[in-house]
């Protein structure tokens, strides 16, 4: 929230959008290089990059890559060299999502990139967008060919215990939300689950873990930590942001419209 507030107010006071591009580019390049090191030098199967867990990687990058891609596609004031660097970085960010092997993250990452490509060709069309789209499509095809076997194996051979553990966490979150009007407190779900035995009743997969774990479902987690009222507020905030992005994508064209579409994606 602090970062969002800071960036929003910087833009309102006249900081050019190109500053956002520079920040996103730096972050995505850093994570991509970190992922490559972990994957090919350290042999880590599901790379966490700079985060504690690999599942966090797509949660972060799937918000950054579409916006970075929008700059590379539709910013006509950007030099060709910067545009190429931007597109390559966006592809690297998507590749990093794939290296995290989060199944939902991979699907959502691909859909968001394809959505931005489609929008840019409809509402910001031009020679640069066409050429850039070909570059991105080629990169997606080559990257898909290289990673196809590993991706298929990840979807086909994912352990059933993973789904069972998530279901256990969700049930515990539901109980917490029902027991506490204002929830158990932000970031307190793992502590409560670990130290209050009744929330682990019925656990099978995670029954013997010293640290009980973290709920992987953002809506159940929000309900557990802030109560049902907090969940409603959270959803309203998300819908408000989505509405602003949808309205901008519908009304605007060019870079502005494409950036709105990327945020929506």
């Amino acid at each position: 929230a602090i970062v969002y507030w800071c960036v929003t107010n910087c833009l309102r006071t006249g900081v050019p959008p190109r500053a956002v591009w520079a920040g996103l580019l730096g972050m995505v390049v850093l994570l991509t290089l970190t992922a490559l090191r972990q994957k090919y030098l350290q042999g880590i199967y599901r790379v966490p990059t700079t985060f504690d867990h690999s599942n966090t990687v797509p949660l972060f990058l799937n918000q950054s890559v579409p916006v970075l891609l929008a700059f590379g596609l539709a910013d006509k004031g950007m030099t060709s060299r910067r545009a190429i660097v931007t597109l390559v970085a966006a592809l690297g960010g998507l590749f990093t999502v794939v290296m995290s092997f989060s199944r939902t993250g991979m699907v959502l990452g691909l859909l968001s990139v394809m959505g931005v490509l489609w929008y840019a060709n409809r509402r910001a069309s031009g020679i640069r967008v066409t050429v850039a789209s070909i570059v991105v499509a080629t990169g997606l095809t080559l990257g898909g060919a290289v990673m196809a076997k590993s991706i298929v194996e990840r979807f086909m051979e994912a352990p059933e215990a993973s789904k069972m553990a998530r279901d256990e966490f969700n049930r515990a979150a539901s109980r917490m939300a029902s027991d506490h009007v204002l929830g158990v407190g932000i970031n307190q779900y793992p502590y409560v689950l670990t130290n209050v035995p009744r929330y682990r009743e019925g656990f099978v997969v995670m029954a013997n873990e010293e640290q009980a774990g973290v709920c992987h479902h953002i809506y159940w987690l929000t309900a557990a930590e802030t109560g049902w009222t907090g969940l409603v507020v959270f959803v309203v905030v998300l819908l408000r942001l989505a509405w602003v992005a949808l309205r901008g994508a519908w009304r605007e064209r060019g870079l502005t419209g494409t950036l709105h579409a990327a945020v929506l994606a």
Side-chain angles (χ1 to χ4, degrees):
I2 294 174
V3 173
Y4 173 81
W5 177 86
C6 180
V7 172
T8 298
N9 282 282
C10 283
L11 291 172
R12 284 176 173 170
T13 55
V15 173
R18 190 68 60 82
V20 176
W21 163 82
L24 291 175
L25 181 67
M27 290 188 294
V28 172
V29 168
L30 172 63
L31 292 185
T32 301
L33 293 176
T34 304
L36 291 171
R37 174 174 58 82
Q38 292 174 346
K39 181 72 173 178
Y40 296 107
L41 295 182
Q42 299 177 336
I44 299 174
Y45 174 58
R46 299 188 61 196
V47 300
T49 64
T50 58
F51 299 104
D52 292 332
H53 196 283
S54 54
N55 283 340
T56 311
V57 175
L59 293 175
F60 180 82
L61 284 177
N62 284 347
Q63 297 180 74
S64 308
V65 168
V67 179
L68 191 60
L69 179 61
F71 276 112
L73 288 171
D75 189 350
K76 296 182 179 179
M78 186 178 291
T79 64
S80 298
R81 180 179 298 179
R82 285 188 175 183
I84 292 173
V85 170
T86 302
L87 295 175
V88 171
L91 287 173
L94 183 60
F95 186 61
T96 301
V97 170
V98 173
M99 286 189 285
S100 76
F101 283 110
S102 166
R103 288 166 291 172
T104 303
M106 286 189 284
V107 172
L108 293 179
L110 180 60
L111 288 176
S112 64
V113 166
M114 296 302 292
V116 174
L117 280 174
W118 175 85
Y119 181 93
N121 280 276
R122 291 293 300 271
R123 306 276 290 183
S125 58
I127 296 177
R128 167 169 286 189
V129 171
T130 301
V131 173
S133 297
I134 294 173
V135 171
V136 173
T138 302
L140 289 175
T141 302
L142 294 175
V146 171
M147 299 292 293
K149 182 180 179 181
S150 298
I151 294 172
V152 171
E153 289 177 350
R154 171 61 180 159
F155 277 90
M156 299 300 294
E157 300 177 7
E160 182 64 23
S162 176
K163 179 179 183 303
M164 294 174 63
R166 291 171 189 245
D167 290 340
E168 290 176 353
F169 293 148
N170 292 343
R171 288 197 299 272
S174 177
R175 295 193 192 108
M176 292 181 196
S178 298
D179 290 349
H180 303 273
V181 175
L182 297 178
V184 297
I186 294 176
N187 294 331
Q188 295 305 303
Y189 174 92
Y191 177 85
V192 174
L193 189 61
T194 300
N195 293 283
V196 183
R198 65 192 180 91
Y199 289 125
R200 298 197 304 277
E201 292 176 357
F203 272 27
V204 176
V205 177
M206 304 299 294
N208 297 319
E209 295 290 331
E210 292 184 7
Q211 297 294 324
V214 178
C215 183
H216 289 194
H217 192 299
I218 188 60
Y219 300 103
W220 278 122
L221 180 61
T222 302
E225 294 188 340
T226 64
W228 297 115
T229 302
L231 176 61
V232 171
V233 172
F234 178 63
V235 172
V236 168
V237 170
L238 290 182
L239 290 176
R240 167 63 178 164
L241 290 171
W243 167 248
V244 172
L246 176 62
R247 184 178 59 188
W250 181 265
R251 292 180 176 179
E252 303 288 344
R253 288 181 174 271
L255 177 61
T256 302
T258 308
L259 285 173
H260 277 97
V263 171
L264 180 62

